[in-house]
Amino acid sequence: MKKVKSILMAIGLTALSLQSMAQNEVIPLWPEGKVPSSIANKVEEKSVTDATGILRISGVTVPTITAFIVPKEKSTGAAVMICPGGGYGILAASHEGSDLAKWFNERGISAFVLKYRLPDAKAMTHQHEVPLMDAMQGIKLIRRSAKKWNIETDKIGVMGFSAGGHLAATLSTHYNMGAQASEEAKPNFSILLYPVISFMPEIAHGGSRDALLGSEKSEELIRYYSNELQVSEKTPTAFLVHAMDDGAVPVENSIAYYLALKKFKTPAEMHLYPKGGHGFGLRTEGKGSLVNWPAAMDGWLKANGWGK
């Protein structure tokens, strides 16, 4: 009898494992051989997990989204595309990616971790355009497959951390700008964690700015990618989290974006914490009241009908 139970348990665990694997599907953003703005290159993608368990991916030239889909009976109909940070030089793909995807899944929200191309003149033309191009394509893919994944097309948001927060804010303010403009790429809400918002000298994170703009850096592009200057009445609602002692990205970045949304009477919620530094993700132990930020986001999602 014990042997039978063991066999049944093993079968159950295997089935659960297979189900989990099936849910975490890696999907190419672009058809093979048709990745826009790409050029022949020798850039090599590398993945390294450090001693703290943080996965860092560098040299990304082939973009994907990894889907974490909630079963139909547990789904709220909402979805979030997550943009990991890393200064536009690497992607912190675990604590600012898959860890959050699992957090959303536990609350009935499907999640997609975006592995966007990292700006590199050796691998692409007009490198500053490429991350946004990938983010727009990611939202389009999610929206086009919404029915298959039990997602409602008006409940698709974007989340970003640090430079990934800049990308999420750029998507929220630039989806209808330039040659690639598309309403289909508009997120319905944004969640911005210690985001790089501005490239203006007073509050910019210079590393992210220079990595994105590269040799094409100009006053015009600095203003164009300063997202607090690009907010309009069409910019979606936002939830912002920042620590006042952030030594990498000044808290004024979140404040500037919040005030820009307020100017257009766009609902927004911002949580500023005295301690926390930069790059914390869900790792809030020992950081005082910062431990409350996930609960605050949970409440915001429920209040807007995206969580349960």
Side-chain angles (χ1 to χ4, degrees), residues 104-132:
F104 283 114
N105 280 181
E106 289 168 359
R107 288 154 182 82
I109 300 169
S110 290
F112 300 81
V113 179
L114 177 68
K115 187 171 78 170
Y116 54 92
R117 283 174 287 170
L118 295 167
D120 192 326
K122 297 190 296 294
M124 58 199 69
T125 58
H126 303 301
Q127 64 183 54
H128 62 88
E129 298 176 350
V130 169
L132 176 59

Side-chain angles (χ1 to χ4, degrees), residues 37-225:
S37 299
S38 289
I39 57 176
N41 72 90
K42 295 182 180 179
V43 176
E44 182 183 357
E45 183 175 315
K46 296 180 181 178
S47 298
V48 177
T49 302
D50 67 16
T52 65
I54 293 176
L55 173 63
R56 290 180 167 86
I57 305 175
S58 61
V60 178
T61 58
V62 179
T64 64
I65 51 173
T66 300
F68 294 75
I69 305 300
V70 176
K72 184 175 182 179
E73 65 275 10
K74 296 182 179 179
S75 175
T76 67
V80 178
M81 184 179 75
I82 304 169
C83 307
Y88 283 120
I90 61 106
L91 299 180
S94 52
H95 84 297
E96 293 178 352
S98 55
D99 288 357
L100 270 296
K102 294 167 188 173
W103 186 95
F104 283 114
N105 280 181
E106 289 168 359
R107 288 154 182 82
I109 300 169
S110 290
F112 300 81
V113 179
L114 177 68
K115 187 171 78 170
Y116 54 92
R117 283 174 287 170
L118 295 167
D120 192 326
K122 297 190 296 294
M124 58 199 69
T125 58
H126 303 301
Q127 64 183 54
H128 62 88
E129 298 176 350
V130 169
L132 176 59
M133 198 179 293
D134 289 348
M136 291 178 70
Q137 178 70 358
I139 292 290
K140 288 179 183 179
L141 282 179
I142 296 166
R143 193 158 269 136
R144 289 169 186 172
S145 297
K147 186 175 181 181
K148 178 179 75 172
W149 289 322
N150 307 306
I151 293 167
E152 296 176 33
T153 55
D154 60 349
K155 291 185 176 184
I156 301 171
V158 64
M159 181 183 209
F161 300 79
S162 193
H166 182 266
L167 179 55
T170 305
L171 175 64
S172 298
T173 54
H174 292 65
Y175 70 89
N176 58 350
M177 298 168 68
Q180 303 294 323
S182 171
E183 287 292 324
E184 191 182 16
K186 179 182 181 178
N188 299 111
F189 59 90
S190 62
I191 301 170
L192 308 175
L193 271 288
Y194 37 90
V196 176
I197 292 293
S198 184
F199 283 173
M200 301 303 285
E202 302 82 10
I203 59 173
H205 180 253
S208 295
R209 177 197 62 211
D210 295 347
L212 180 64
L213 302 185
S215 62
E216 294 187 79
K217 184 172 69 172
S218 65
E219 289 300 318
E220 181 182 3
L221 284 181
I222 285 171
R223 290 188 65 84
Y224 185 75
Y225 288 108

Side-chain angles (χ1 to χ4, degrees), residues 173-297:
T173 54
H174 292 65
Y175 70 89
N176 58 350
M177 298 168 68
Q180 303 294 323
S182 171
E183 287 292 324
E184 191 182 16
K186 179 182 181 178
N188 299 111
F189 59 90
S190 62
I191 301 170
L192 308 175
L193 271 288
Y194 37 90
V196 176
I197 292 293
S198 184
F199 283 173
M200 301 303 285
E202 302 82 10
I203 59 173
H205 180 253
S208 295
R209 177 197 62 211
D210 295 347
L212 180 64
L213 302 185
S215 62
E216 294 187 79
K217 184 172 69 172
S218 65
E219 289 300 318
E220 181 182 3
L221 284 181
I222 285 171
R223 290 188 65 84
Y224 185 75
Y225 288 108
S226 291
N227 293 315
E228 80 282 13
L229 303 180
Q230 308 304 332
V231 170
S232 72
E233 68 278 359
K234 295 184 178 181
T235 304
T237 183
F239 179 91
L240 299 106
V241 175
H242 220 125
M244 296 176 72
D245 67 348
D246 190 324
V249 178
V251 69
E252 284 81 3
N253 279 264
S254 285
I255 294 170
Y257 195 74
Y258 176 86
L259 290 176
L261 290 170
K262 182 176 181 292
K263 177 183 175 181
F264 286 97
K265 297 181 171 56
T266 300
E269 184 166 324
M270 179 169 61
H271 294 264
L272 304 182
Y273 297 91
K275 288 176 56 180
H278 188 75
F280 45 81
L282 292 171
R283 301 179 176 200
T284 58
E285 187 177 351
K287 297 182 184 292
S289 56
L290 185 70
V291 70
N292 297 308
W293 89 257
M297 180 170 68

Side-chain angles (χ1 to χ4, degrees), residues 8-25:
L8 289 172
M9 285 179 67
I11 292 170
L13 288 171
T14 301
L16 186 63
S17 176
L18 289 171
Q19 182 184 32
S20 177
M21 287 172 64
Q23 289 175 337
N24 302 348
E25 180 185 2

